[in-house]
Amino acid sequence: GGNDGVVFESTDNCALKNCTVRNVSGIGVRAKKTTNTAIDNCSINNVGLQGIVIQNGGAYKTLTSSGNVIENCDIYTVGRTAPVGGVGIMISYETGTKVLNNRVHDTPHDAIRLSRGTACTVEGNEVYNAVNDTYDAGAIYTGASMFEGVGNIFKNNYIHDIYRTSD
């Protein structure tokens, strides 16, 4: 949308490195229909909706990887205008995306959500103080669709201090 911080759409071989995105009412960083997009060593905070959304990259039927990577980022204080859905990192309809060595905290909903992702890797992330204002959520969450979870890898993530702060 028009209130997002940074938007990549239908791009290839783009990078956002060593940047700060904050105080936006929409999504901090959105990448849609991209390949080989790198979001590296960024701070994304105080955003209205999600911190980072990557969607519709790669090809599920052929297991062609999108090549998209989110790594070494600090994502916090998201969902300021919409706590339900205020997710730190959302990967949606992606194949082969990697979420590596990020710190995601202070989220009202999921810290990391993998929605209809295939052959994605979520590794080495630290998640804390998440799922503060919503139910049916998780520090790292993948939904219940029969098409989700195929070949995804979750390993070496450190999840701690997850407490619900509202009734």
Side-chain angles (χ1 to χ4, degrees):
N3 299 320
D4 298 339
V6 177
V7 177
F8 297 99
E9 187 162 352
S10 301
T11 60
D12 183 38
N13 291 311
C14 290
L16 184 69
K17 295 186 176 190
N18 305 313
C19 292
T20 298
V21 178
R22 71 170 154 230
N23 302 328
V24 298
S25 62
I27 296 168
V29 178
R30 179 193 302 241
K32 183 176 182 182
K33 297 180 183 177
T34 65
T35 53
N36 304 306
T37 296
I39 302 168
D40 184 14
N41 200 38
C42 293
S43 176
I44 297 151
N45 62 81
N46 201 33
V47 299
L49 301 173
Q50 298 89 8
I52 298 173
V53 175
I54 294 190
Q55 60 193 106
N56 304 107
Y60 171 78
K61 288 183 180 180
T62 61
L63 294 180
T64 303
S65 176
S66 67
N68 295 326
V69 179
I70 301 167
E71 61 185 335
N72 305 313
C73 293
D74 189 16
I75 300 144
Y76 60 97
T77 316
V78 301
R80 304 282 292 182
T81 59
V84 175
V87 175
I89 298 172
M90 178 175 288
I91 307 302
S92 180
Y93 292 96
E94 281 283 308
T95 301
T97 295
K98 295 182 179 181
V99 179
L100 309 171
N101 306 312
N102 300 288
R103 189 169 67 155
V104 186
H105 53 99
D106 301 307
T107 66
H109 207 92
D110 311 316
I112 300 171
R113 173 176 279 205
L114 186 58
S115 177
R116 291 177 174 80
T118 303
C120 294
T121 301
V122 177
E123 180 178 359
N125 300 285
E126 180 180 12
V127 172
Y128 60 93
N129 196 30
V131 195
N132 288 323
D133 297 324
T134 54
Y135 294 101
D136 191 21
I140 298 176
Y141 182 95
T142 184
S145 168
M146 64 186 274
F147 300 106
E148 292 189 52
V150 178
N152 293 316
I153 298 169
F154 301 88
K155 66 181 184 178
N156 300 322
N157 296 291
Y158 177 41
I159 301 167
H160 60 95
D161 300 313
I162 307 297
Y163 305 104
R164 185 169 170 75
T165 59
S166 66
D167 292 329

